[in-house]
Amino acid sequence: MSPIPLRALTLTHVRYQKGDYFGYFLAWVSLVPVFISLCGFTCHLLFRRELQGLFFAVGLVISQFINELIKSTVKQARPSTCELLESCDSHGWPSSHSQFMFFFSVYYTLLTQTKFGVLSRNQMGIVGCVVWPMAVLTMVSRVYLGYHSVVQVFAGATLGAILGGGWFWIVNYRLRPFFPMIEESPIGSLLYFKDTSHIPHVLKFEYENARGARKHSSYKRSE
């Protein structure tokens, strides 16, 4: 009886050539989508409960679902280096890493430019110096490390940018009017979901209200 073939969980399984320090750096860069998903959005939803962040995360999940659907339909193989990387059992077009990062970058840029939620236009420096460079480096890492071809990462980036822009329009120009209703719903009240996109300076608002609440005994924690 032949042994049952095994597959690896490739969530953080990234390989690079031993002694290649640039490859080592890019291997960490290629994990940025994982850090954003598991750390960034998890912390944001746990500690802020912002509807804008919730729908941002939902959009990324939908984008990933579309990516998997296209991959399973097109079934384009990865580059020949996939044998060395043990990744030939999955398809390569379009690159999910590139798609994730460009969806994230486009949505984050539009969110910052339009000042919805806790972001403001004076944070555009973060967009230009951190968000977009990381998106481009993620593309480079997938090609350099041998997981994708140039065509595959550009396909992922293009699809991610289109989906990111489209989902931003849907959320902020079609769904946002329903945010107050979600806030007042039983599940919204239970989980403390909120929308602060109508507040011009959210951080200043929260800072001043937190200081003000300290002066009222009804808000103080019982010892």
Side-chain angles (χ1 to χ4, degrees):
M1 182 177 179
S2 59
I4 300 175
L6 301 177
R7 293 187 62 181
L9 180 63
T10 58
L11 183 63
T12 60
H13 186 66
V14 182
R15 292 190 171 189
Y16 63 96
Q17 291 185 3
K18 184 177 180 180
D20 183 357
Y21 295 107
F22 184 60
Y24 175 75
F25 167 72
L26 290 180
W28 280 104
V29 168
S30 69
L31 296 178
V32 168
V34 178
F35 297 146
I36 292 174
S37 301
L38 299 184
C39 301
F41 279 103
T42 301
C43 291
H44 184 84
L45 294 176
L46 281 176
F47 296 110
R48 294 204 56 86
R49 313 295 175 93
E50 284 278 354
L51 288 172
Q52 187 68 247
L54 174 63
F55 279 93
F56 194 166
V58 168
L60 285 166
V61 172
I62 294 174
S63 175
Q64 180 63 26
F65 175 79
I66 292 173
N67 179 273
E68 293 296 331
L69 182 63
I70 294 175
K71 279 184 175 179
S72 62
T73 302
V74 177
K75 297 181 179 180
Q76 185 180 104
R78 294 179 182 270
S80 58
T81 48
C82 68
E83 294 185 8
L84 184 62
L85 299 170
E86 298 180 351
S87 61
C88 292
D89 55 348
S90 61
H91 304 298
W93 192 93
S95 165
S96 58
H97 284 70
S98 299
Q99 183 173 323
F100 180 101
M101 287 304 299
F102 273 75
F103 182 108
F104 178 87
S105 299
V106 168
Y107 197 104
Y108 190 95
T109 301
L110 294 172
L111 199 60
T112 306
Q113 180 63 30
T114 52
K115 299 194 296 184
F116 289 142
V118 298
L119 302 176
S120 59
R121 287 179 183 170
N122 59 11
Q123 292 176 279
M124 285 299 289
I126 298 176
V127 173
C129 298
V130 178
V131 176
W132 282 103
M134 292 306 299
V136 174
L137 280 172
T138 300
M139 287 179 60
V140 173
S141 73
R142 302 309 287 174
V143 175
Y144 184 89
L145 297 173
Y147 287 92
H148 289 285
S149 66
V150 173
V151 172
Q152 290 170 351
V153 296
F154 271 100
T158 302
L159 181 57
I162 293 172
L163 291 175
W167 184 246
F168 178 86
W169 182 84
I170 291 172
V171 170
N172 290 284
Y173 295 100
R174 287 295 180 265
L175 300 180
R176 197 159 66 93
F178 297 100
F179 281 8
M181 184 176 66
I182 298 174
E183 286 179 320
E184 299 298 329
S185 68
I187 189 170
S189 300
L190 176 66
L191 298 177
Y192 299 112
F193 285 139
K194 65 181 184 293
D195 172 38
T196 59
S197 58
H198 58 287
I199 302 174
H201 303 287
V202 178
L203 296 180
K204 181 180 179 182
F205 174 83
E206 292 179 345
Y207 173 74
E208 292 177 346
N209 277 271
R211 293 182 64 193
R214 195 186 301 276
K215 302 176 182 178
H216 298 278
S217 59
S218 59
Y219 287 101
K220 291 183 179 179
R221 186 193 302 271
S222 58
E223 299 296 340

